[in-house]
Amino acid sequence: MAQKKKDSKMMGKIIKTAVSGVLCVALAGGMVAANVLIPPNASSVQSILGLKSGGIDNSKAKTEGINMEYSKPGFDTEAALVEDEIALNKKIAAEGIVLLKNDAGKMPYSTDTTFSFVSHSAVSYIGGNKVDMKTAFEDAGFGVNEALWKFYSEGNGKDYGLGVGSVSYGDDEDFSINECPLSVMKAEPGLTDSMKNTVPVFVFSRVAGEGRDMPRSMYNHTDVEEDKTKTYLEPDSTELEILQYLNDNFDDVVVLLNSSAALDLSWVKNYPSIHTVISAPAMGDYGLCSLAEIFSGKVNPSGRTVDTYEMDAMNSPAAQNFGDFAYYDEDGNLTKYNYVSYKEGIYVGYRYYETRYEDKVLGQGNAGDYNYADAVMYPFGYGLSYTDFEWSDYDTSWDGDTCTVTVKVTNTGDVAGKDVVQVYAQSPYTDYDKANKVEKAAVELVGYAKTAELAPGASETVTITFDQEQLKSYDYVNAKTYILDAGDYYITAAKNAHEAVNNILSAKGKTVEDGMTADGDTAFVATYTPANGTVDTTTYKLDTTTGVEITNQLDHANGGLQYLSRSDWTGTWPTVDGEVSDQISTWGNPINGTDAGGKAASYTYRKTISKEDLAKLDSFDSLNPTDFSTLTDEIVYDKDNGLGLIDMRGLDYNDEKWDALLDQLTPSDYQTLITQSGYGTAAIKSVDKPSTTDRDSATGLINYGFDASGNLYFKGNITHCGVI
């Protein structure tokens, strides 16, 4: 027995030593990583840990003669600031949520309704929310299926859910869908029974990430054979099985889209119980509160689509050269460089779908067998409301180069709501354009405005202005600058891009008999003819802000590609730029969905790059044409000019004091400012510059806030839709 105890102790020491060794190695690795990653992101790390940046102690700063009220927040208390922040978040979200389908008028719902939120995405809604779906809807007065919510949040459904997408600029990615199967739901005692007498809301989510696009196909992201050729934008077999179950067992199903991408919704027509589709992508901490208020009718949806919802994204011209394209050297070796050939030119989104549609109706441009209804689910600028609006008194007037468009909007429905007036312009597509490869879209959005909330029967005259400059086009072949074509321009007000094209086609004398999807309204179309009687190649040749001449800069990068042209849609349709390599693509890039054997495949496409061009890519030469030997300016460091950054407040950008201030910086200061500027800048003592926190644009508003005294605080304690 004594020997066993001794052996046991010895084994324990061995294990402790081994574990300690592993921990030491891990700690050493962590320290190395920290030394690499922390310095350039020091401000973020210090903010998260609640630490102060080294440098200036602002509490001892000299304030004599300084206006301390200069940038005082407009809030007396932290509570007032947070209250305003929540209200603003909810308003922005409410204005942007888009109601896509409401064919049976099921929306809005009585607060007597209980919702069953289906899919793991319901409890992991994308958007950095402080208020979850359950809380938001309960705060709005609705009931929420508690059993189903707990199943996804803490029960047998909790370990499912979307992969994180792409999280870095390397190969780390996870686009798995991993939805909890219907069989797991049915195996849970009483779970499906708990959905009786509720309205199921299927949450359809997709995530992208940073540093990489969504995959072209799911080939590398699923083990289910039938899902391998599907795009990430459409439901997989597990999701479709759930949708079929909901369709077969409920007479009212809501689909809630939680994605910043325009998802493939072509399948919705196969499920007649789906009466409502609503798009609510990432909306900030309190956006779900606004979503719940749209469900209840407290808020009337007024958002509009900012993309075209395609029936099949892989049929778009941009998709023909989207995937994994790699350069090989002249010896056949894979290089570290990739390429993308943008053969689609300007024809992306509505600029493609609406333009080819017009050409099909007009019988021009070799439009082929194109059918708009088979290509587009919801057009750009589309969105529904709970009320109806009538437009009248359309007018356009020009004052010099500025056009003013007015439309009277009247709420003819039964509830208050907001409408959006969109103004589109069509430029003439001339023989000059065709000869010089100047491409024109059928319509382009030149302005828009949303009404105030209009009570039933109330009206508002909406005014939108735009400048003639917005009608210019770029001629890279002949003029090599911006041009303004001669001829008639059409200006129309419409509810979306497709309605705009139909309005203009009607003004050209076309009807549904000519293949239009619907007749347009000529009452909302005006024409404009610029004074120039020929192609104007000078008016917009100079940049209106800097006065610098605008001309081609990258002629050497043309590549000899055939770009898509509306002069010959079928003849210039993009082909894959490259040949199939023997490399398996991590992006999932099937050729037309299958390989030569009829099975799903995933390839890399390749092109050979010359030694000369490869050397240019490898070079660190900035190609700056400046001859540095000709520079005569003296570089000054560490000069005592007695200035601080506070002295620069309110000065013009070109004020000479800035040069004097910069002369005070040391070489070390410059090094610090350049190399340690991730999400903020360090304190610099030579000019009394405090440390700053500068997140990427508005992203900073998601992570941090500041109280009335300018102190950082975290907002994790606010978990309801109401204010403090």
Side-chain angles (χ1 to χ4, degrees):
M1 179 66 71
Q3 182 62 40
K4 286 185 178 180
K5 288 184 178 180
K6 185 176 181 180
D7 292 343
S8 178
K9 288 181 179 180
M10 180 59 69
M11 183 57 70
K13 289 181 179 180
I14 294 173
I15 292 173
K16 287 180 180 178
T17 301
V19 171
S20 298
V22 171
L23 290 175
C24 286
V25 171
L27 181 59
M31 292 173 66
V32 171
N35 285 329
V36 172
L37 297 175
I38 289 178
N41 297 283
S43 64
S44 289
V45 176
Q46 290 160 347
S47 295
I48 292 170
L49 297 178
L51 303 176
K52 291 185 177 180
S53 170
I56 298 171
D57 180 358
N58 292 326
S59 66
K60 300 178 181 178
K62 297 178 180 179
T63 60
E64 295 84 357
I66 296 176
N67 178 13
M68 300 302 292
E69 302 293 309
Y70 184 83
S71 56
K72 180 181 178 180
F75 306 93
D76 295 327
T77 65
E78 178 180 323
L81 171 61
V82 175
E83 180 177 340
D84 190 76
E85 179 187 80
I86 294 174
L88 178 60
N89 186 168
K90 290 172 64 177
K91 176 178 172 56
I92 292 172
E95 298 279 355
I97 293 170
V98 184
L99 181 61
L100 295 172
K101 182 178 182 180
N102 192 24
D103 61 5
K106 299 288 187 179
M107 293 273 278
Y109 287 91
S110 164
T111 52
D112 293 336
T113 307
T114 296
F115 292 106
S116 290
F117 293 109
V118 183
S119 95
H120 187 276
S121 294
V123 301
S124 57
Y125 206 86
I126 301 166
N129 309 293
K130 288 291 188 293
V131 179
D132 61 30
M133 186 94 68
K134 181 175 182 294
T135 303
F137 276 72
E138 288 177 341
D139 282 358
F142 292 113
V144 173
N145 184 335
E146 185 84 21
L148 191 60
W149 185 268
K150 285 187 175 180
F151 170 77
Y152 286 119
S153 60
E154 57 190 68
N156 290 329
K158 68 179 177 60
D159 294 326
Y160 294 90
L162 289 178
V164 295
S166 58
V167 293
S168 70
Y169 290 95
D171 292 329
D172 296 333
E173 61 177 15
D174 180 5
F175 285 101
S176 60
I177 295 173
N178 194 34
E179 183 52 69
C180 179
L182 180 63
S183 59
V184 177
M185 297 173 63
K186 287 184 172 181
E188 191 79 8
L191 185 63
T192 54
D193 286 340
S194 72
M195 298 172 65
K196 292 180 180 178
N197 301 316
T198 72
V199 175
V201 178
F202 182 79
V203 183
F204 184 25
S205 291
R206 292 296 184 264
V207 64
E210 186 172 9
R212 177 160 287 200
D213 290 315
M214 291 176 171
R216 182 184 175 95
S217 81
M218 292 300 292
Y219 184 82
N220 297 301
H221 306 283
T222 180
D223 295 327
V224 180
E225 197 65 32
E226 66 180 288
D227 292 333
K228 285 183 177 291
T229 58
K230 291 182 177 180
T231 72
Y232 185 61
L233 299 176
E234 60 186 307
D236 71 357
S237 55
T238 298
E239 292 171 313
L240 288 175
E241 185 180 24
I242 296 171
L243 286 162
Q244 188 66 59
Y245 173 82
L246 297 178
N247 179 77
D248 295 345
N249 290 276
F250 298 86
D251 59 8
D252 182 22
V253 178
V254 178
V255 171
L256 175 58
L257 308 179
N258 178 215
S259 173
S260 296
L263 299 176
D264 181 340
L265 300 175
S266 58
W267 48 271
V268 171
K269 63 181 181 295
N270 300 325
Y271 303 94
S273 292
I274 297 177
H275 296 296
T276 306
V277 179
I278 189 166
S279 174
M283 300 176 291
D285 290 339
Y286 306 97
L288 286 173
C289 302
S290 297
L291 177 66
E293 291 179 346
I294 283 178
F295 269 71
S296 73
K298 183 177 180 180
V299 172
N300 194 340
S302 60
R304 300 293 184 264
T305 59
V306 295
D307 294 294
T308 300
Y309 278 71
E310 304 153 305
M311 297 292 280
D312 184 352
M314 292 301 101
N315 288 334
S316 69
Q320 309 314 305
N321 282 282
F322 171 76
D324 199 346
F325 295 83
Y327 278 126
Y328 284 66
D329 65 24
E330 293 179 349
D331 296 324
N333 300 312
L334 179 67
T335 72
K336 62 183 179 180
Y337 300 110
N338 294 78
Y339 68 94
V340 176
S341 297
Y342 296 97
K343 289 187 174 183
E344 65 273 15
I346 72 165
Y347 298 112
V348 177
Y350 78 88
R351 287 176 175 82
Y352 164 64
Y353 291 103
E354 305 300 343
T355 307
R356 192 165 182 178
Y357 164 71
E358 181 184 55
D359 286 345
K360 178 68 175 179
V361 172
L362 294 176
Q364 62 188 26
N366 193 19
D369 60 357
Y370 179 79
N371 186 303
Y372 185 87
D374 292 339
V376 175
M377 185 87 179
Y378 299 112
F380 175 89
Y382 179 85
L384 300 176
S385 171
Y386 296 150
T387 191
D388 297 310
F389 297 95
E390 183 179 283
W391 292 6
S392 62
D393 301 340
Y394 173 74
D395 183 66
T396 62
S397 61
W398 287 83
D399 181 7
D401 291 338
T402 299
C403 179
T404 298
V405 179
T406 56
V407 178
K408 182 180 179 181
V409 179
T410 302
N411 183 348
T412 59
D414 299 325
V415 297
K418 300 178 180 180
D419 200 12
V420 180
V421 177
Q422 303 165 40
V423 176
Y424 293 85
Q426 181 184 104
S427 302
Y429 184 49
T430 67
D431 289 339
Y432 176 92
D433 298 330
K434 296 172 185 176
N436 293 285
K437 301 180 180 180
V438 179
E439 298 298 330
K440 303 281 189 69
V443 290
E444 289 191 280
L445 181 71
V446 293
Y448 59 92
K450 183 178 287 191
T451 68
E453 185 168 79
L454 300 178
S459 300
E460 177 184 334
T461 297
V462 176
T463 301
I464 299 167
T465 62
F466 70 92
D467 294 327
Q468 177 185 272
E469 183 179 5
Q470 293 173 255
L471 305 179
K472 68 183 188 294
S473 303
Y474 199 81
D475 171 12
Y476 77 96
V477 173
N478 182 40
K480 298 188 176 183
T481 191
Y482 284 105
I483 65 170
L484 184 70
D485 267 317
D488 293 333
Y489 290 72
Y490 289 90
I491 312 298
T492 184
K495 294 182 181 298
N496 55 68
H498 191 56
E499 184 178 285
V501 177
N502 279 338
N503 286 349
I504 293 171
L505 284 171
S506 291
K508 294 179 179 180
K510 299 300 179 180
T511 68
V512 291
E513 299 298 323
D514 299 295
M516 290 174 59
T517 57
D519 287 329
D521 192 339
T522 58
F524 294 95
V525 182
T527 57
Y528 166 66
T529 306
N532 54 296
T534 184
V535 180
D536 180 353
T537 61
T538 59
T539 298
Y540 298 111
K541 189 174 184 177
L542 301 181
D543 182 82
T544 54
T545 300
T546 65
V548 174
E549 182 178 348
I550 300 170
T551 190
N552 294 3
Q553 300 292 326
L554 302 170
D555 280 335
H556 65 281
N558 189 336
L561 300 178
Q562 170 64 67
Y563 294 103
L564 181 61
S565 173
R566 69 178 295 189
S567 65
D568 184 2
W569 290 106
T570 303
T572 61
W573 184 256
T575 55
V576 177
D577 187 26
E579 60 184 12
V580 177
S581 77
D582 56 359
Q583 299 288 322
I584 297 299
S585 169
T586 59
W587 284 60
N589 192 20
I591 305 170
N592 298 325
T594 61
D595 64 12
K599 296 181 179 180
S602 186
Y603 296 113
T604 295
Y605 295 98
R606 61 182 287 178
K607 284 176 70 173
T608 299
I609 186 171
S610 68
K611 291 181 179 179
E612 293 76 16
D613 287 340
L614 183 59
K616 291 177 182 178
L617 291 177
D618 285 335
S619 173
F620 287 97
D621 187 350
S622 68
L623 302 181
N624 187 335
T626 302
D627 181 355
F628 292 102
S629 66
T630 64
L631 298 178
T632 58
D633 290 350
E634 178 185 2
I635 300 177
V636 179
Y637 295 114
D638 204 17
K639 190 173 183 180
D640 184 8
N641 287 325
L643 293 172
L645 187 61
I646 189 67
D647 298 316
M648 303 297 109
R649 189 167 63 182
L651 295 185
D652 184 77
Y653 179 81
N654 295 315
D655 193 287
E656 293 181 355
K657 276 190 176 182
W658 283 108
D659 289 329
L661 183 82
L662 294 177
D663 287 347
Q664 294 181 203
L665 297 177
T666 67
S668 176
D669 292 336
Y670 282 105
Q671 176 79 6
T672 298
L673 287 170
I674 294 171
T675 64
Q676 297 185 27
S677 57
Y679 303 104
T681 56
I684 302 297
K685 293 183 178 180
S686 60
V687 292
D688 288 345
K689 190 197 88 66
S691 63
T692 63
T693 299
D694 301 313
R695 311 291 164 187
D696 0 4
S697 65
T699 302
L701 302 178
I702 295 174
N703 300 320
Y704 304 98
F706 294 86
D707 64 20
S709 301
N711 299 312
L712 189 69
Y713 73 94
F714 292 85
K715 304 172 289 182
N717 61 322
I718 306 167
T719 57
H720 284 268
C721 293
V723 295
I724 296 177

